[in-house]
CSV table of all heavy atoms in Angstrom, one decimal:
chain,number,residue,atom,x,y,z
L,1255,PHE,N,64.6,56.4,141.0
L,1255,PHE,CA,63.2,57.1,141.2
L,1255,PHE,C,63.2,58.5,141.5
L,1255,PHE,O,62.1,59.2,141.4
L,1255,PHE,CB,62.5,56.2,142.2
L,1255,PHE,CG,62.1,54.9,141.9
L,1255,PHE,CD1,62.1,53.8,142.8
L,1255,PHE,CD2,61.8,54.5,140.5
L,1255,PHE,CE1,61.8,52.4,142.4
L,1255,PHE,CE2,61.6,53.2,140.2
L,1255,PHE,CZ,61.5,52.2,141.1
L,1256,SER,N,64.4,59.0,141.9
L,1256,SER,CA,64.5,60.5,142.2
L,1256,SER,C,64.7,61.3,140.9
L,1256,SER,O,64.3,62.5,141.0
L,1256,SER,CB,65.6,60.7,143.2
L,1256,SER,OG,66.9,60.6,142.5
L,1257,LEU,N,65.2,60.6,139.9
L,1257,LEU,CA,65.5,61.5,138.8
L,1257,LEU,C,64.3,62.1,138.1
L,1257,LEU,O,64.4,63.4,137.7
L,1257,LEU,CB,66.3,60.7,137.7
L,1257,LEU,CG,67.9,60.5,138.2
L,1257,LEU,CD1,68.6,59.5,137.1
L,1257,LEU,CD2,68.6,61.8,138.2
L,1258,PRO,N,63.3,61.4,137.8
L,1258,PRO,CA,62.1,62.1,137.2
L,1258,PRO,C,61.5,63.3,138.1
L,1258,PRO,O,61.0,64.2,137.5
L,1258,PRO,CB,61.1,61.0,136.9
L,1258,PRO,CG,61.8,59.7,137.1
L,1258,PRO,CD,62.9,60.0,138.0
L,1259,LEU,N,61.7,63.2,139.4
L,1259,LEU,CA,61.1,64.2,140.3
L,1259,LEU,C,62.1,65.4,140.2
L,1259,LEU,O,61.7,66.6,140.4
L,1259,LEU,CB,61.1,63.6,141.7
L,1259,LEU,CG,60.2,62.6,141.8
L,1259,LEU,CD1,60.3,62.0,143.3
L,1259,LEU,CD2,58.7,62.9,141.5
L,1260,LEU,N,63.4,65.2,140.0
L,1260,LEU,CA,64.4,66.2,140.0
L,1260,LEU,C,64.4,67.0,138.6
L,1260,LEU,O,64.7,68.2,138.5
L,1260,LEU,CB,65.7,65.8,140.3
L,1260,LEU,CG,66.0,65.3,141.6
L,1260,LEU,CD1,67.4,64.4,141.8
L,1260,LEU,CD2,66.0,66.5,142.7
L,1261,TYR,N,64.1,66.4,137.5
L,1261,TYR,CA,64.3,67.0,136.2
L,1261,TYR,C,63.7,68.2,136.0
L,1261,TYR,O,64.2,69.1,135.5
L,1261,TYR,CB,64.0,65.9,135.1
L,1261,TYR,CG,64.1,66.5,133.8
L,1261,TYR,CD1,65.4,66.7,133.3
L,1261,TYR,CD2,63.1,66.9,133.0
L,1261,TYR,CE1,65.6,67.1,131.9
L,1261,TYR,CE2,63.2,67.3,131.7
L,1261,TYR,CZ,64.5,67.6,131.2
L,1261,TYR,OH,64.7,68.1,130.0
L,1262,PRO,N,62.3,68.4,136.4
L,1262,PRO,CA,61.7,69.7,136.1
L,1262,PRO,C,62.4,70.8,136.8
L,1262,PRO,O,62.4,72.0,136.3
L,1262,PRO,CB,60.3,69.5,136.7
L,1262,PRO,CG,60.1,68.1,136.6
L,1262,PRO,CD,61.5,67.4,136.9
L,1263,PHE,N,63.0,70.6,137.9
L,1263,PHE,CA,63.7,71.7,138.6
L,1263,PHE,C,65.1,72.0,138.0
L,1263,PHE,O,65.7,73.0,138.3
L,1263,PHE,CB,63.9,71.3,140.1
L,1263,PHE,CG,62.6,71.0,140.7
L,1263,PHE,CD1,62.1,69.7,141.0
L,1263,PHE,CD2,61.8,72.1,141.2
L,1263,PHE,CE1,61.0,69.6,141.8
L,1263,PHE,CE2,60.6,72.0,141.8
L,1263,PHE,CZ,60.2,70.8,142.1
L,1264,VAL,N,65.6,71.1,137.3
L,1264,VAL,CA,67.0,71.3,136.7
L,1264,VAL,C,67.1,71.7,135.3
L,1264,VAL,O,68.0,72.5,135.0
L,1264,VAL,CB,67.8,69.8,137.0
L,1264,VAL,CG1,69.0,69.9,136.3
L,1264,VAL,CG2,67.8,69.5,138.4
L,1265,ARG,N,66.2,71.4,134.5
L,1265,ARG,CA,66.2,71.5,133.1
L,1265,ARG,C,66.5,72.9,132.6
L,1265,ARG,O,67.2,73.2,131.6
L,1265,ARG,CB,65.1,70.9,132.3
L,1265,ARG,CG,63.8,71.6,132.5
L,1265,ARG,CD,62.6,70.8,131.9
L,1265,ARG,NE,61.4,71.3,132.3
L,1265,ARG,CZ,60.7,72.3,131.8
L,1265,ARG,NH1,61.1,72.8,130.7
L,1265,ARG,NH2,59.6,72.7,132.3
L,1266,LYS,N,66.1,73.8,133.4
L,1266,LYS,CA,66.3,75.4,132.9
L,1266,LYS,C,67.7,75.8,133.1
L,1266,LYS,O,68.1,76.7,132.4
L,1266,LYS,CB,65.3,76.3,133.7
L,1266,LYS,CG,63.9,75.9,133.3
L,1266,LYS,CD,63.0,76.8,134.1
L,1266,LYS,CE,61.5,76.6,133.8
L,1266,LYS,NZ,60.6,77.3,134.6
L,1267,ASN,N,68.4,75.2,134.1
L,1267,ASN,CA,69.8,75.6,134.4
L,1267,ASN,C,70.9,74.9,133.7
L,1267,ASN,O,72.1,75.2,133.9
L,1267,ASN,CB,69.9,75.5,136.0
L,1267,ASN,CG,68.9,76.3,136.7
L,1267,ASN,OD1,67.9,75.8,137.1
L,1267,ASN,ND2,69.3,77.5,137.0
L,1268,LEU,N,70.5,73.9,133.0
L,1268,LEU,CA,71.6,73.0,132.3
L,1268,LEU,C,72.5,73.8,131.4
L,1268,LEU,O,73.8,73.4,131.4
L,1268,LEU,CB,71.0,71.8,131.7
L,1268,LEU,CG,70.2,70.8,132.5
L,1268,LEU,CD1,69.6,69.7,131.8
L,1268,LEU,CD2,71.2,70.2,133.6
L,1269,LYS,N,72.0,74.7,130.6
L,1269,LYS,CA,72.9,75.4,129.6
L,1269,LYS,C,73.8,76.4,130.3
L,1269,LYS,O,74.8,76.9,129.6
L,1269,LYS,CB,72.0,76.0,128.5
L,1269,LYS,CG,71.1,75.0,127.8
L,1269,LYS,CD,70.4,75.6,126.7
L,1269,LYS,CE,69.5,74.7,126.0
L,1269,LYS,NZ,68.5,75.2,125.2
L,1270,GLN,N,73.6,76.7,131.5
L,1270,GLN,CA,74.3,77.8,132.2
L,1270,GLN,C,75.5,77.2,133.0
L,1270,GLN,O,76.2,78.0,133.7
L,1270,GLN,CB,73.5,78.5,133.1
L,1270,GLN,CG,72.2,79.1,132.4
L,1270,GLN,CD,71.2,79.6,133.4
L,1270,GLN,OE1,71.4,79.4,134.6
L,1270,GLN,NE2,70.2,80.2,132.8
L,1271,ILE,N,75.9,76.0,132.9
L,1271,ILE,CA,76.8,75.3,133.8
L,1271,ILE,C,78.2,75.4,133.0
L,1271,ILE,O,78.3,75.0,131.8
L,1271,ILE,CB,76.4,74.0,134.2
L,1271,ILE,CG1,75.1,74.0,134.8
L,1271,ILE,CG2,77.5,73.3,135.0
L,1271,ILE,CD1,74.5,72.8,135.0
L,1272,HIS,N,79.3,75.8,133.7
L,1272,HIS,CA,80.7,75.8,133.1
L,1272,HIS,C,81.3,74.4,133.2
L,1272,HIS,O,80.8,73.6,134.0
L,1272,HIS,CB,81.4,76.8,133.8
L,1272,HIS,CG,81.0,78.2,133.6
L,1272,HIS,ND1,80.1,78.8,134.5
L,1272,HIS,CD2,81.2,79.1,132.7
L,1272,HIS,CE1,79.8,80.0,134.1
L,1272,HIS,NE2,80.6,80.2,133.1
L,1273,LEU,N,82.2,74.2,132.4
L,1273,LEU,CA,83.0,72.8,132.3
L,1273,LEU,C,83.5,72.4,133.6
L,1273,LEU,O,83.4,71.3,134.1
L,1273,LEU,CB,84.1,72.9,131.3
L,1273,LEU,CG,84.8,71.7,131.1
L,1273,LEU,CD1,83.9,70.5,130.7
L,1273,LEU,CD2,86.0,71.8,130.1
L,1274,ILE,N,84.2,73.4,134.4
L,1274,ILE,CA,84.8,73.0,135.7
L,1274,ILE,C,83.7,72.5,136.6
L,1274,ILE,O,83.8,71.6,137.4
L,1274,ILE,CB,85.6,74.1,136.3
L,1274,ILE,CG1,86.3,73.6,137.6
L,1274,ILE,CG2,84.7,75.4,136.7
L,1274,ILE,CD1,87.4,72.7,137.2
L,1275,ASP,N,82.5,73.1,136.6
L,1275,ASP,CA,81.4,72.8,137.5
L,1275,ASP,C,80.8,71.4,137.1
L,1275,ASP,O,80.3,70.5,137.8
L,1275,ASP,CB,80.3,73.8,137.5
L,1275,ASP,CG,80.8,75.1,138.3
L,1275,ASP,OD1,81.6,74.9,139.3
L,1275,ASP,OD2,80.4,76.1,137.8
L,1276,MET,N,80.8,71.2,135.8
L,1276,MET,CA,80.3,69.9,135.2
L,1276,MET,C,81.3,68.7,135.8
L,1276,MET,O,80.9,67.7,136.1
L,1276,MET,CB,80.3,69.9,133.7
L,1276,MET,CG,79.2,70.5,133.1
L,1276,MET,SD,77.5,69.7,133.4
L,1276,MET,CE,77.0,69.8,131.8
L,1277,LEU,N,82.5,69.0,135.8
L,1277,LEU,CA,83.5,68.0,136.2
L,1277,LEU,C,83.3,67.8,137.7
L,1277,LEU,O,83.4,66.7,138.2
L,1277,LEU,CB,85.0,68.5,136.0
L,1277,LEU,CG,85.3,68.4,134.5
L,1277,LEU,CD1,86.8,69.1,134.4
L,1277,LEU,CD2,85.6,66.9,134.2
L,1278,LEU,N,83.2,68.9,138.4
L,1278,LEU,CA,82.8,68.7,140.0
L,1278,LEU,C,81.6,67.8,140.2
L,1278,LEU,O,81.6,67.0,141.0
L,1278,LEU,CB,82.8,70.2,140.6
L,1278,LEU,CG,84.1,70.8,140.8
L,1278,LEU,CD1,83.8,72.2,141.3
L,1278,LEU,CD2,84.9,70.1,141.8
L,1279,MET,N,80.5,68.1,139.4
L,1279,MET,CA,79.3,67.3,139.6
L,1279,MET,C,79.5,66.0,139.0
L,1279,MET,O,78.9,65.0,139.7
L,1279,MET,CB,78.3,67.9,138.8
L,1279,MET,CG,77.7,69.3,139.6
L,1279,MET,SD,76.3,70.1,138.8
L,1279,MET,CE,77.2,71.1,137.6
L,1280,PHE,N,80.4,65.8,138.1
L,1280,PHE,CA,80.6,64.4,137.7
L,1280,PHE,C,81.4,63.6,138.8
L,1280,PHE,O,80.9,62.4,139.2
L,1280,PHE,CB,81.6,64.3,136.3
L,1280,PHE,CG,82.0,63.1,136.0
L,1280,PHE,CD1,81.2,62.2,135.3
L,1280,PHE,CD2,83.3,62.5,136.4
L,1280,PHE,CE1,81.6,60.9,135.0
L,1280,PHE,CE2,83.7,61.3,136.0
L,1280,PHE,CZ,82.9,60.5,135.3
L,1281,PHE,N,82.3,64.1,139.4
L,1281,PHE,CA,83.0,63.5,140.5
L,1281,PHE,C,82.1,63.3,141.7
L,1281,PHE,O,82.3,62.4,142.4
L,1281,PHE,CB,84.3,64.3,140.8
L,1281,PHE,CG,85.4,63.9,139.9
L,1281,PHE,CD1,85.8,65.0,139.1
L,1281,PHE,CD2,85.9,62.7,139.6
L,1281,PHE,CE1,86.9,64.8,138.1
L,1281,PHE,CE2,87.0,62.5,138.8
L,1281,PHE,CZ,87.4,63.5,137.9
L,1282,SER,N,81.3,64.3,141.9
L,1282,SER,CA,80.4,64.2,143.1
L,1282,SER,C,79.5,63.1,142.9
L,1282,SER,O,79.2,62.2,143.9
L,1282,SER,CB,79.6,65.5,143.3
L,1282,SER,OG,78.6,65.7,142.4
L,1283,GLY,N,79.0,62.8,141.7
L,1283,GLY,CA,78.2,61.7,141.4
L,1283,GLY,C,78.9,60.4,141.5
L,1283,GLY,O,78.4,59.4,142.0
L,1284,VAL,N,80.2,60.3,141.1
L,1284,VAL,CA,80.9,59.1,141.3
L,1284,VAL,C,81.3,58.8,142.8
L,1284,VAL,O,81.0,57.7,143.2
L,1284,VAL,CB,82.3,59.2,140.6
L,1284,VAL,CG1,83.3,58.1,140.9
L,1284,VAL,CG2,82.1,59.3,139.0
L,1285,PHE,N,81.4,59.9,143.5
L,1285,PHE,CA,81.7,59.6,144.9
L,1285,PHE,C,80.4,59.3,145.7
L,1285,PHE,O,80.5,58.4,146.6
L,1285,PHE,CB,82.3,61.0,145.5
L,1285,PHE,CG,83.7,61.3,145.2
L,1285,PHE,CD1,83.9,62.7,144.9
L,1285,PHE,CD2,84.6,60.3,144.8
L,1285,PHE,CE1,85.2,63.0,144.5
L,1285,PHE,CE2,85.9,60.7,144.4
L,1285,PHE,CZ,86.2,62.1,144.2
């Protein structure tokens, strides 16, 4: 239920993320 509320704030920044940060966010989500 939080994802639709977060998406408008996130979508503009998605293309600017480096691979290492994507990996960190992946692991943060798993944790």
Side-chain angles (χ1 to χ4, degrees):
F1255 293 146
S1256 70
L1257 286 175
L1259 299 173
L1260 291 169
Y1261 180 72
F1263 298 104
V1264 174
R1265 66 183 166 94
K1266 293 178 184 176
N1267 301 92
L1268 292 177
K1269 294 178 184 174
Q1270 304 166 356
I1271 301 169
H1272 294 91
L1273 180 62
I1274 188 73
D1275 294 324
M1276 286 289 232
L1277 284 171
L1278 285 171
M1279 286 180 273
F1280 172 80
F1281 284 112
S1282 74
V1284 170
F1285 295 143

